[in-house]
Every structure is written in C-alpha cells, then in structure tokens.
Amino acid sequence: RNTAGGERIVMYRLYCAAVLAAVAGPAYAGADDFGRVVSFGDSLSDNGNLSAVAGPLSGFIFRPENFFGRFSNGPTFAEILAGGANLATGESAQQRFYSFGIPLIQPIFNPDPPGSVNLAIGGATASDNAIPTIEILGFRIDAIPSVEDQISDFRNAGGQFGTGDLVTILAGANDIFNAFDENPNLAIPAAQQAAAAQIRNVDALVRAGAPTIVVANLPNLGVIPRFNVGTANAPRVLGKLDENG
C-alpha cells in the first residue's frame, strides 16, 4: 500500500514472492529433495564463519550461551536444512567457508567435495555499499564480506552450483541497523536499497547457475530487543518496514 505522499516502499515480501515464483523448483519440494545446501547471508545463517575469522578474539564477541560460534543457542535454519549440527561438538552439516588468515578473511573452501557450504557471516549486509570499512596501513578494506562479496568469493574460489543444490539467502537487517544508528530517518531508504541489492544478489546467483533459491524474509525489526527497549522511536520507524511489506 502507499504511504503519505505516494511513496511506495519496496519491501522484502514483495520481491521475495516474485523471485521465488521465478526460480523455485517443484512446488512441493522438501529439503530431502536437494543434494546440498549453499547459504549466503548474515548472523541469522552464520554457522561459525565469524567466530573462525575472529580466531582468538571470538571470546569477546560470543557469550557462553551462543552455540559454538553461532549467534543463536542452537544450529541455524540453514544448517537444519542441510542436516543439522552435532549438539555436543558444534560440528556443522555445512562446511564453513571463511577462516582466520591474511587477508583478514581467508577462504578455506575446497570446491571439489559435493557437500553443503555456508558463506554467511555475522554483520554482513545485503549491499556492498552498506558495509563498514576499516583502514589498515593506509588501505581501506571491507570489515565483513557483504552478500555481494560472498557470492563473488564463492565463484572466485571455484565454487559451482549443481542441479541438486538448494541456495539460501537472508540479509538486509544490518543495512537497516547501520543506517538507523547513523540517523533513524535513513532506515526506510536503507531498506529500499537493501531490497534492490538482494534482487541483484539473486540475479547473480541465477546467472551463476543456482537452480533453486530460497530468499528469506526479515521479521518486524521494530520489536526486537535491540530496539524495543530504550529507543523510543525505533518501533515506530522500523515498524513501518513491516507495515508496508
């Protein structure tokens, strides 16, 4: 629906439906119908990539209740689709793509095995233009690989999609969070830009041969603990993203 002044907000539910309609496989396909799961995204899909990248610093990022370097207290949805994780050791059904190294984020991916792989990393944005950068020895580098970077990294490492692959992609929240922290009025434009970036990301995956793609929607960001406590206008501003979905 239109907001005041005729502005129409491009929201995830709309483009997700269009993308899924265009690239989805059999209407009733289940996880068991796919040979492997390849995941791109942020902390909601990260199965330990950021923890591996942080190396000895991971103890400053993750709390004891985090499940073996995840941002949750158990396996991520992407891992569950791929077969889960060992609850005693944290070993994942998906191979982690990134590890600590030089450059700061070093792929360890071997494209030859047919197993599932996870490139999602906490803090990632949908758009390459929305990620924070850091300066080292005069060079500015991306602090965290965006989804656009992840897709490029996968391809540059020799990764290819097979006909039995299920590809998951979930991102956009960090684009909005980063913009909101700078200025709450930038949240809605950031959502529009993130949605446009996700469309480009899906298009890149399709062109790379991904046969079946699941584009996950974002929840109502205005009700998450980060914003519904002590931030008076956050539920109102971020709630609009859900209302116009």
Side-chain angles (χ1 to χ4, degrees):
R1 67 184 176 182
N2 291 325
T3 59
E7 176 188 13
R8 185 164 183 81
I9 298 176
V10 180
M11 287 311 302
Y12 289 93
R13 290 176 184 168
L14 298 178
Y15 83 79
C16 286
V19 169
L20 286 173
V23 303
Y28 298 101
D32 293 340
D33 296 308
F34 300 97
R36 68 171 182 169
V37 177
V38 182
S39 299
F40 302 89
D42 55 23
S43 60
L44 297 177
S45 305
D46 185 352
N47 70 336
N49 279 306
L50 184 62
S51 176
V53 167
L57 298 178
S58 63
F60 296 96
I61 301 173
F62 297 94
R63 299 176 179 178
E65 58 266 27
N66 290 118
F67 178 70
F68 294 99
R70 278 75 159 178
F71 289 83
S72 58
N73 61 356
T76 68
F77 86 96
E79 292 177 274
I80 293 173
L81 284 176
N86 187 310
L87 298 181
T89 65
E91 191 65 29
S92 176
Q94 291 182 298
Q95 178 185 356
R96 299 178 184 92
F97 185 87
Y98 295 106
S99 181
F100 180 79
I102 302 297
L104 290 182
I105 298 178
Q106 180 68 42
I108 57 170
F109 174 60
N110 183 341
D112 293 330
S116 297
V117 61
N118 190 310
L119 295 90
I121 187 166
T125 55
S127 170
D128 196 38
N129 295 326
I131 56 178
T133 60
I134 57 177
E135 184 172 335
I136 297 180
L137 300 178
F139 294 94
R140 296 201 68 82
I141 62 173
D142 295 343
I144 295 291
S146 67
V147 172
E148 293 185 53
D149 291 330
Q150 294 168 24
I151 296 171
S152 295
D153 289 346
F154 178 76
R155 299 288 289 150
N156 292 337
Q160 297 181 351
F161 296 110
T163 56
D165 286 353
L166 173 66
V167 180
T168 70
I169 179 171
L170 170 56
N174 289 315
D175 303 66
I176 299 169
F177 293 158
N178 295 341
F180 184 92
D181 289 342
E182 180 180 349
N183 182 339
N185 293 326
L186 298 177
I188 290 178
Q192 295 174 311
Q193 294 164 13
Q198 284 290 72
I199 292 173
R200 294 194 302 271
N201 292 334
V202 171
D203 180 65
L205 291 171
V206 171
R207 287 187 283 105
T212 305
I213 305 173
V214 173
V215 186
N217 192 16
L218 291 178
N220 181 350
L221 301 179
V223 300
I224 65 175
R226 175 179 177 180
F227 291 113
N228 68 5
V229 176
T231 310
N233 64 338
R236 176 181 58 81
V237 173
L238 298 179
K240 288 182 179 179
L241 303 178
D242 189 65
E243 291 171 6
N244 289 276

